[in-house]
Amino acid sequence: MANALVSIQIIPKTKNGEDTIPYIDAAIKVITESGVKYQVNPLETTMEGDLTELLMIVEKMNKKMIELNCPSVISQIKVFYNPDGASMDQLTEKYR
């Protein structure tokens, strides 16, 4: 059972001011390859799973940006942690 939700907005700095969308796509691919449940939203992506695993994914996303030759990256994250369970669906069901 998931115990955390982590939302991340990753903002890579590019060397020559290139469009960041391909970089963000690469960051989301890191999430996809991890196998955790996630939802892409206009300004951030939310993942659901074990807190330790989700934070490791955030680290991999940042490292991926550096591998793609970004000199630096900002990651804004929000964490919801509940040892008894955390679910995107439960938190948003009343709005659907």
Side-chain angles (χ1 to χ4, degrees):
M1 175 193 300
N3 67 15
L5 303 177
V6 172
S7 292
I8 179 167
Q9 179 186 31
I10 196 159
I11 308 166
K13 180 177 181 181
T14 58
K15 286 187 176 185
N16 299 308
E18 300 96 333
D19 182 10
T20 59
I21 296 300
Y23 296 90
I24 294 165
D25 288 343
I28 293 171
K29 185 175 180 187
V30 171
I31 298 171
T32 302
E33 291 173 349
S34 76
V36 300
K37 182 176 180 179
Y38 70 97
Q39 180 176 319
V40 177
N41 297 300
L43 298 176
E44 65 189 11
T45 298
T46 302
M47 301 179 285
E48 179 178 304
D50 174 74
L51 181 59
T52 300
E53 180 183 11
L54 299 179
L55 294 175
M56 288 173 51
I57 294 167
V58 169
E59 180 181 18
K60 287 179 185 176
M61 293 169 74
N62 279 269
K63 287 182 176 180
K64 183 59 153 178
M65 297 301 98
I66 301 306
E67 288 173 16
L68 294 174
N69 296 317
C70 293
S72 64
V73 59
I74 295 171
S75 292
Q76 296 185 43
I77 63 170
K78 298 176 198 168
V79 176
F80 172 74
Y81 176 72
N82 183 344
D84 295 327
S87 165
M88 287 187 280
D89 294 332
Q90 273 186 323
L91 287 177
T92 60
E93 68 187 350
K94 70 180 180 181
Y95 301 108
R96 296 175 196 241

